[in-house]
Amino acid sequence: KQEVTQIPAALSVPEGENLVLNCSFTDSAIYNLQWFRQDPGKGLTSLLLIQSSQREQTSGRLNASLDKSSGRSTLYIAASQPGDSATYLCAVSTSGGSYIPTFGRGTSLIVHP
Amino acid sequence: DVKVTQSSRYLVKRTGEKVFLECVQDMDHENMFWYRQDPGLGLRLIYFSYDVKMKEKGDIPEGYSVSREKKERFSLILESASTNQTSMYLCASSFMSYPLKYGYTFGSGTRLTVV
């Protein structure tokens, strides 16, 4: 059964820092990996989707990479801003799970001015 | 943009009431899902559906049922609400053929409180 771990669970940084959020998974036979953002009391907003054949995806200040062999994905946020404060979740879809994603517990990020 | 709409943002119900949570998507997605999210436990899958009138149990189906009479609408039903069902409920949808390419889209969530 796929297990997804996100480290760190919480992170507090000053504005302007570049930062990396980590997501690791136990079963490397994945189909895709999706990063989401969740603001307090709200739903999940998709940030980036990486298919298994891809190594990375970029959107604005966000870059997500995927290394299936090591079971890892990283979400890189450049020049962080207070508006980036949120919880970031990764979700992994595998063949054994009928494509239903397995979620990590998330990283709670605070960017202070 | 794909939209997944949950009918209520906040809901307060009494113990023993029958509760309906509604979810509608507008992009002709075949797959629809209901999750609940609790602090320290993350997202847990309650039920999902691959097609009209079709449903599959997720990890925590006890105390819940679902209905999918139309492709765009997936309802979660709490037959007799209990306080341990107080939670954030999230609906999601995806294509059946291309979830790998397009991923999953979530609604804005319903915060249910059972008193």
Side-chain angles (χ1 to χ4, degrees):
Chain A
K1 182 182 175 182
Q2 179 75 272
E3 293 181 7
V4 179
T5 303
Q6 291 187 244
I7 294 174
L11 189 60
S12 180
V13 300
E15 181 177 7
E17 275 204 9
N18 301 323
L19 50 98
V20 174
L21 308 182
N22 296 294
C23 173
S24 61
F25 46 91
T26 55
D27 184 351
S28 61
I30 73 168
Y31 281 96
N32 66 19
L33 185 146
Q34 195 166 0
W35 282 95
F36 293 90
R37 168 187 172 134
Q38 185 177 31
D39 293 293
K42 302 284 181 65
L44 277 65
T45 300
S46 181
L47 297 173
L48 290 164
L49 173 71
I50 310 177
Q51 298 176 53
S52 61
S53 59
Q54 299 173 323
R55 294 299 299 270
E56 65 177 348
Q57 283 286 342
T58 298
S59 176
R61 294 183 294 108
L62 305 179
N63 175 277
S65 67
L66 174 65
D67 183 342
K68 288 193 299 181
S69 61
S70 65
R72 292 184 61 190
S73 175
T74 59
L75 179 66
Y76 176 82
I77 303 176
S80 59
Q81 304 170 357
D84 295 330
S85 299
T87 297
Y88 292 81
L89 297 106
C90 73
V92 180
S93 298
T94 53
S95 59
S98 302
Y99 305 139
I100 296 171
T102 301
F103 285 85
R105 299 280 178 91
T107 294
S108 177
L109 172 66
I110 297 175
V111 181
H112 49 86
Chain B
D1 275 356
V2 177
K3 263 197 170 175
V4 178
T5 303
Q6 295 184 230
S7 54
S8 303
R9 287 294 312 279
Y10 301 96
L11 217 49
V12 180
K13 296 292 181 181
R14 295 193 178 279
T15 301
E17 273 193 76
K18 189 169 186 175
V19 181
F20 293 86
L21 302 184
E22 305 288 344
C23 176
V24 178
Q25 50 91 8
D26 66 359
M27 271 301 286
D28 206 31
H29 283 173
E30 295 91 352
N31 301 339
M32 296 189 76
F33 309 84
W34 275 107
Y35 291 86
R36 65 176 282 177
Q37 185 180 31
D38 301 286
L41 296 177
L43 274 83
R44 293 180 291 170
L45 181 64
I46 305 171
Y47 268 97
F48 60 98
S49 170
Y50 288 135
D51 201 352
V52 175
K53 296 191 185 295
M54 181 275 178
K55 61 185 178 184
E56 293 284 345
K57 293 180 180 179
D59 298 320
I60 51 163
E62 296 78 20
Y64 303 94
S65 63
V66 291
S67 172
R68 193 162 181 201
E69 296 297 318
K70 294 185 177 181
K71 189 175 185 179
E72 67 270 19
R73 185 181 297 270
F74 192 35
S75 303
L76 180 69
I77 304 159
L78 286 67
E79 296 291 341
S80 178
S82 63
T83 55
N84 63 13
Q85 292 179 309
T86 292
S87 185
M88 168 70 95
Y89 289 87
L90 294 163
C91 176
S93 70
S94 73
F95 287 114
M96 175 176 286
S97 302
Y98 301 104
L100 316 176
K101 185 175 178 181
Y102 297 107
Y104 299 82
T105 303
F106 278 80
S108 55
T110 296
R111 170 70 66 183
L112 173 68
T113 302
V114 182
V115 298

